[in-house]
Amino acid sequence: MKRVLVTGVRGKTGVPLAELLVARGGVEVLGGSSTPDTVALDGVHPVRFDWDDPAGRPTDGVDAVYLVRPDRPDAPELIGDLLEGLPLDTHVVLLSERDADQVGPDGWALRAERAVRGSGRSWTILRPSWFMQVFTDPRFYRDLVADAGELPFPSGGSSIAWIDARDIAAVAARALLDDGHAGRVHELSGPESLTLPRTAELLGRAVGHPVVHRELTIDDAVAGQDGFDRELSVLTFERVRDGVFAGVTDVVERVTGRAPQTLEAFLDDASTHSSGPLRGEPH
Ligand SMILES: NC(=O)c1ccc[n+]([C@@H]2O[C@H](COP(=O)([O-])OP(=O)(O)OC[C@H]3O[C@@H](n4cnc5c(N)ncnc54)[C@H](OP(=O)(O)O)[C@@H]3O)[C@@H](O)[C@H]2O)c1
């Protein structure tokens, strides 16, 4: 029985990853959350995992850890401290982002990756594009799309190769449990690169009313944010504009043996399953 700690188990990649690991069998899945009582995933043992409170973290006998990078300035140090407390033979899979070499401030994303590479543990780094789940997550675009019929986004005319977080999870599951992933950096994307107007058109079909892409300035897009969050968002949108998230890779298919999900299929799924999270108020 392998013991795997999934940090961020309530998040977009954490949920499908935990489900895949449970389904695979032979894995004890520890689901890390700062509010473990809200974790309700069959077969997952909720554990308290709070970046601000290292006491009591489940580190004993952990064979592999899935690390969702906290998007805060001290992430590199927090990650380094966490890994120091893990057994030396723990395999670490870090969720980073596309072409992290360019992500500031001060090469922040690269420093977070270096904390993993230099930890003395074996590692795999996942560098995904933007997640399709930003369209079904109320913390991102869901309500704007479903209720207001708008996709306000500063793209500068560039495209994004949206990826289904379930495809990231499928790669993560292999990287956590299978041989052949140590020391590898997996740049992950969905199967196609879509402009924002085309993305809005597909969203419109899924919600059953028109959705219009509204091109914003980056300043407008980050209005209301300040400090590190603002700096990170500005840099992210500049990287969108520079086409960093447009590239399509074949890594999901190479690792999992099946093609990644298209945005159209993802939206179909999201609008017809569970509570229909994409369906807003009728227009
Ligand atoms: N989103 C993207 O498109 C994208 C693209 C590339 C890379 N990334 C990277 O991926 C990482 C995760 O980002 P994310 O935006 O996708 O976040 P996420 O994994 O969906 O959520 C992160 C954490 O937010 C907390 N949380 C608070 N309220 C929540 C709620 N209502 N539902 C679920 N979780 C909630 C949870 O931690 P607790 O359980 O402890 O509260 C959760 O683990 C970040 O490092 C980000 O930079 C994201």
Side-chain angles (χ1 to χ4, degrees):
M1 177 75 97
K2 283 206 169 178
R3 193 167 215 229
V4 178
L5 170 61
V6 177
T7 70
V9 80
R10 286 202 304 143
K12 297 187 198 64
T13 56
V15 170
L17 172 59
E19 288 172 347
L20 279 175
L21 294 174
V22 169
R24 183 159 157 157
V27 183
E28 183 192 4
V29 185
L30 308 179
S33 167
S34 57
T35 53
D37 48 332
T38 62
V39 177
L41 293 164
D42 283 348
V44 173
H45 304 296
V47 291
R48 187 158 179 283
F49 186 93
D50 187 335
W51 286 107
D52 287 311
D53 183 11
R57 276 182 191 158
T59 51
D60 283 354
V62 169
D63 297 296
V65 60
Y66 178 67
L67 208 50
V68 176
R69 180 193 64 192
D71 286 352
R72 48 190 271 183
D74 55 354
E77 294 74 29
L78 290 172
I79 290 172
D81 289 349
L82 167 69
L83 298 188
E84 248 177 50
L86 288 170
L88 267 172
D89 59 356
T90 304
H91 181 63
V92 185
V93 176
L94 174 72
L95 180 65
S96 182
E97 62 186 286
R98 270 321 285 274
D99 292 328
D101 317 72
Q102 308 174 29
V103 186
D106 301 326
W108 166 85
L110 201 53
R111 285 191 288 117
E113 290 190 353
R114 283 203 193 112
V116 172
R117 290 169 190 257
S119 67
R121 276 81 185 157
S122 71
W123 53 265
T124 307
I125 291 173
L126 309 184
R127 290 178 163 187
S129 182
W130 280 60
F131 306 168
M132 293 176 184
Q133 277 74 1
V134 296
F135 302 121
T136 52
D137 187 335
R139 294 174 291 158
F140 288 79
Y141 294 105
R142 187 195 71 177
D143 297 341
L144 280 166
V145 164
D147 299 339
E150 265 200 18
L151 180 58
F153 197 103
S155 71
S158 278
S159 299
I160 295 183
W162 310 101
I163 182 167
D164 188 335
R166 291 171 296 187
D167 286 325
I168 303 170
V171 172
R174 304 282 181 129
L176 286 162
L177 298 175
D178 296 350
D179 292 335
H181 296 278
R184 307 282 298 273
V185 177
H186 291 317
E187 299 272 355
L188 304 174
S189 80
E192 58 191 344
S193 197
L194 300 171
T195 63
L196 270 292
R198 173 68 179 151
T199 301
E201 191 185 327
L202 295 176
L203 286 165
R205 276 191 214 162
V207 295
H209 58 71
V211 174
V212 177
H213 167 235
R214 187 156 57 86
E215 183 67 24
L216 298 181
T217 64
I218 292 178
D219 264 357
D220 283 344
V222 301
Q225 296 185 6
D226 53 22
F228 177 82
D229 289 347
R230 182 184 176 95
E231 213 174 330
L232 194 56
S233 295
V234 167
L235 285 161
T236 301
F237 285 126
E238 284 175 356
R239 295 166 68 238
V240 167
R241 203 182 49 196
D242 294 345
V244 167
F245 299 97
V248 171
T249 76
D250 64 354
V251 179
V252 169
E253 183 154 14
R254 274 201 283 118
V255 172
T256 67
R258 55 167 183 73
Q261 175 99 302
T262 62
L263 181 62
E264 224 166 339
F266 166 80
L267 292 173
D268 230 25
D269 222 26
S271 56
T272 51
H273 285 92
S274 61
S275 55
L278 265 175
R279 295 270 174 199
E281 298 303 316
H283 275 213

